[in-house]
Amino acid sequence: MNDLNTNMIEKYRNSFLNEVEANVEEGEWVKMCMQCGVCSGSCPLGNAWEHPPQELFMMIRAGKREEVLSSDSMWMCTSCYNCIVRCPREVPITHIMHGLAHYARRLGMEPKEQPTAKFAQLFWDNLMKKGRVNELKLGIDLYFKVGEGMKTALKNKDIGIAMWKAKRMNPMEFFGGHAVKDLNGFQKAIKKAEELEAARLDKHKA
Amino acid sequence: MATREYSFYPGCSSQKGASSSNYLVSVETMCEELDIKLNTIPDWNCCSASIGYAGGGELPRLTLSARNIALSEEHNPDQEIVATCAACWLSTKEAAERLNDDPDMMAEANIALAEAGLKLTNKTPIRHMAEVLVEDIGFDAIAAKVTKPLEGLKIAGYVGCQTNRPFGIAGESFENPVYLDKMVDALGADSVPDYEKKVQCCGGALAFSEPEKSQELIKGILESAYDHGADMIVTPCPVCQMNVEVYQGQINDTHGTKFDMPVLYYSQLMSVAFGRSAKDAALNGQIIKSKQLEEIAGK
Ligand code: SF4
Ligand code: SF4
């Protein structure tokens, strides 16, 4: 178990809801949910969610910390924003799903081999290198680290070739590619933002 | 009419050799015809779309957009920011709102930006190109520019998610926005106003990580367009365009369907209807070619 996780368990021994409110993006909204179920009926990948958003909110209130944070469910969010525009309480559901996913990842509790968790992390790492996303390297990483490796790569080979012919993929990107000019400033700014955010979480230590 | 100027945020996928480079080429053509000048934000960075959240916490992600807005305020002062990518627009607009609502977060974003010698004022409106077309230019002015009407083409308007929710275009409903249909009509083609899948999710970034589940969604989007007798689909979103176009072969393999439906950007339709060449409309960027549009462009 990572240290942050141990600290958070100590600190919020009695209330997972308080922990979510303090540490999860837009978490203070969870208590506004009136359990109407509209959001759960809105997810495009609905049948793949073991616990749809409404249920996750109920479980947070019921203190089911382990079950919520190690759940596969919030990683099924496609960021379609159906829920947000329909929720009668204007709960920012999409952001809470992202926030729960991020918090679980930070605590090392996300389900292992979760493809979207891996992809989302690769995407972030990729953009941090140059300030812009290198689609080719992202694609290669994706096929070898996330998918079933070679099998997925071969299946997508035809798409890659078609994209390259249409000049929508450039193999030379592998050797550098698009980047921001002030890469140093860019990376320093994001690093500072990460430090400030970590400090905020640190304040909540036991 | 005077030239309209905007501060332009093109986004990663529009870059040369990237997945929506055809979008950018056709947007440039369209803007030339409509007398719109796009001043690219110097040294813009990725917005992290809606998928950066595993590695990126709230403040680091907000700082990404804050840097772009700050650069725009410094280099293109008094110009509204315009994005063509749905995810870029959404991330940037969301960040601007969040930072306006939360002074602590705003102060921290500025501490982070100071590391790069930047400062965010955050007074700049963040708009989508579709808003510029609908609100600033207008359907009548668009129709007046048409020299080659797209006659006889039936085009299903696929708006998708993030161009439509949570912000959308003022005056449009989330469940049934009609501006894309009006654009299609203004260009002389036939829209499909009752296209059931116009705001259906295509899976977004999960098309990469959950291909089977997403391809089920994409299949529905294509089927409905075929059911209405559409010749092609038009969309304002780079993620929608790519997902609905490039997986048709895999869906055909899995489901025994025979999908072969071109998926175009509104800017490509406009470039052709305004009389520009297939090349200027970036029709060569299609993986599933639209022979009908190529014919009109070649006339
Ligand atoms: S739609 Fe809103 S109020 Fe209803 S269950 Fe979902 S979050 Fe709760
Ligand atoms: S944004 Fe996420 S949580 Fe909301 S309806 Fe879409 S998939 Fe479900």
Side-chain angles (χ1 to χ4, degrees):
Chain A
M1 193 180 286
N2 79 21
D3 287 352
L4 187 63
N5 194 8
T6 319
N7 287 331
M8 292 301 181
I9 291 172
E10 274 295 310
K11 159 98 187 178
Y12 295 103
R13 201 179 283 279
N14 293 319
S15 174
F16 182 42
L17 178 63
N18 288 353
E19 181 179 351
V20 168
E21 285 177 337
N23 300 311
V24 171
E25 182 170 345
E26 305 282 348
E28 66 277 15
W29 282 87
V30 170
K31 61 176 173 297
M32 297 301 294
C33 168
M34 61 181 201
Q35 290 291 310
C36 73
V38 165
C39 54
S40 298
S42 301
C43 300
L45 300 184
N47 49 19
W49 292 63
E50 190 188 354
H51 308 297
Q54 167 210 7
E55 210 172 292
L56 287 174
F57 296 149
M58 190 181 68
M59 289 162 71
I60 291 170
R61 290 193 191 195
K64 300 194 172 168
R65 184 178 193 272
E66 178 78 27
E67 274 177 85
V68 169
L69 292 175
S70 60
S71 171
D72 184 63
S73 292
M74 54 274 194
W75 299 99
M76 295 292 156
C77 173
T78 64
S79 308
C80 73
Y81 288 77
N82 264 331
C83 52
I84 287 201
V85 300
R86 291 178 186 164
C87 172
R89 287 287 175 85
E90 297 181 16
V91 176
I93 302 151
T94 317
H95 305 117
I96 303 174
M97 294 305 115
H98 296 176
L100 283 170
H102 176 76
Y103 189 56
R105 171 92 190 72
R106 199 178 260 272
L107 300 177
M109 291 177 76
E110 84 283 12
K112 303 300 166 237
E113 303 307 313
Q114 212 300 322
T116 302
K118 284 189 172 181
F119 175 56
Q121 184 68 47
L122 287 174
F123 189 97
W124 181 258
D125 296 344
N126 183 303
L127 91 88
M128 278 303 125
K129 285 207 183 79
K130 300 269 177 165
R132 294 184 188 175
V133 160
N134 183 318
E135 290 180 344
L136 182 74
K137 282 189 189 161
L138 183 64
I140 291 172
D141 278 352
L142 174 67
Y143 297 138
F144 288 98
K145 294 187 192 151
V146 179
E148 299 160 56
M150 221 32 218
K151 213 171 115 211
T152 323
L154 286 176
K155 209 170 159 201
N156 284 298
K157 184 190 67 184
D158 297 343
I159 293 180
I161 292 173
M163 298 281 284
W164 171 68
K165 279 192 188 148
K167 296 201 173 23
R168 284 163 62 185
M169 187 182 279
N170 180 3
M172 295 313 284
E173 282 272 308
F174 190 73
F175 303 102
H178 301 285
V180 296
K181 285 192 214 82
D182 181 23
L183 188 58
N184 184 38
F186 170 82
Q187 287 172 338
K188 271 171 36 191
I190 303 302
K191 186 157 169 283
K192 179 54 101 181
E194 282 171 347
E195 284 166 17
L196 291 167
E197 188 152 278
R200 214 179 320 130
L201 285 172
D202 257 3
K203 268 200 313 218
H204 301 302
K205 271 190 188 168
Chain B
M1 197 168 49
T3 305
R4 288 189 168 82
E5 289 200 48
Y6 301 93
S7 181
F8 182 43
Y9 178 32
C12 297
S13 68
S14 74
Q15 297 174 103
K16 202 161 186 284
S19 60
S20 73
S21 47
N22 51 339
Y23 192 8
L24 181 58
V25 170
S26 58
V27 161
E28 283 169 351
T29 302
M30 175 189 83
C31 286
E32 271 170 36
E33 294 297 318
L34 294 172
D35 210 5
I36 294 171
K37 185 159 181 269
L38 298 177
N39 304 308
T40 302
I41 299 173
D43 212 31
W44 57 267
N45 55 257
C46 175
C47 70
S48 90
S50 299
I51 196 69
Y53 58 78
E58 184 176 10
L59 183 63
R61 278 185 287 126
L62 292 175
T63 304
L64 287 174
S65 291
R67 181 176 177 275
N68 288 328
I69 303 171
L71 283 167
S72 178
E73 287 174 341
E74 181 176 328
H75 297 280
N76 300 331
D78 303 322
Q79 289 174 22
E80 296 173 342
I81 294 177
V82 170
T84 39
C85 168
C88 290
W89 175 55
L90 172 55
S91 301
T92 312
K93 191 169 160 117
E94 219 164 56
E97 284 196 355
R98 193 87 60 91
L99 293 169
N100 265 335
D101 290 347
D102 189 337
D104 293 342
M105 204 64 96
M106 175 76 173
E108 290 195 344
N110 263 321
I111 296 173
L113 287 179
E115 295 285 318
L118 292 167
K119 188 176 181 335
L120 177 68
T121 316
N122 203 17
K123 295 257 181 296
T124 312
I126 319 286
R127 305 179 69 202
H128 191 282
M129 180 59 83
E131 292 181 290
V132 170
L133 294 172
V134 172
E135 294 162 7
D136 300 3
I137 306 286
F139 297 110
D140 291 344
I142 290 171
K145 287 292 299 179
V146 174
T147 58
K148 287 183 184 167
L150 309 180
E151 267 161 10
L153 296 188
K154 194 159 187 189
I155 307 179
Y158 175 49
V159 180
C161 294
Q162 296 192 346
T163 320
N164 184 45
R165 296 181 299 265
F167 300 116
I169 309 296
E172 296 276 1
S173 84
F174 295 127
E175 311 286 340
N176 186 21
V178 297
Y179 67 90
L180 199 52
D181 295 332
K182 285 190 192 159
M183 257 182 224
V184 166
D185 294 335
L187 302 178
D190 293 321
S191 61
V192 184
D194 50 353
Y195 178 44
E196 296 85 353
K197 299 288 182 179
K198 65 163 70 166
V199 296
Q200 160 74 50
C201 179
C202 68
L206 271 65
F208 293 107
S209 51
E210 297 281 2
E212 286 86 15
K213 298 183 182 80
S214 301
Q215 287 180 17
E216 285 287 334
L217 303 176
I218 296 167
K219 181 166 166 272
I221 293 163
L222 288 160
E223 258 161 9
S224 167
Y226 273 107
D227 287 348
H228 284 281
D231 297 299
M232 63 190 78
I233 291 173
V234 62
T235 181
C237 171
V239 182
C240 297
Q241 195 285 331
M242 165 143 166
N243 283 350
V244 180
E245 184 187 37
V246 308
Y247 296 111
Q248 291 187 34
Q250 286 188 8
I251 296 173
N252 289 342
D253 287 348
T254 314
H255 298 277
T257 44
K258 293 204 168 62
F259 294 143
D260 190 27
M261 171 80 65
V263 185
L264 281 293
Y265 293 109
Y266 60 87
S267 47
Q268 294 181 292
L269 300 184
M270 280 193 204
S271 298
V272 172
F274 295 164
R276 300 289 294 261
S277 68
K279 185 162 178 283
D280 290 348
L283 297 184
N284 54 353
Q286 298 311 113
I287 286 166
I288 299 176
K289 308 276 183 221
S290 168
K291 293 192 188 68
Q292 292 158 304
L293 270 185
E294 283 174 3
E295 258 167 43
I296 297 176
K299 264 195 295 203

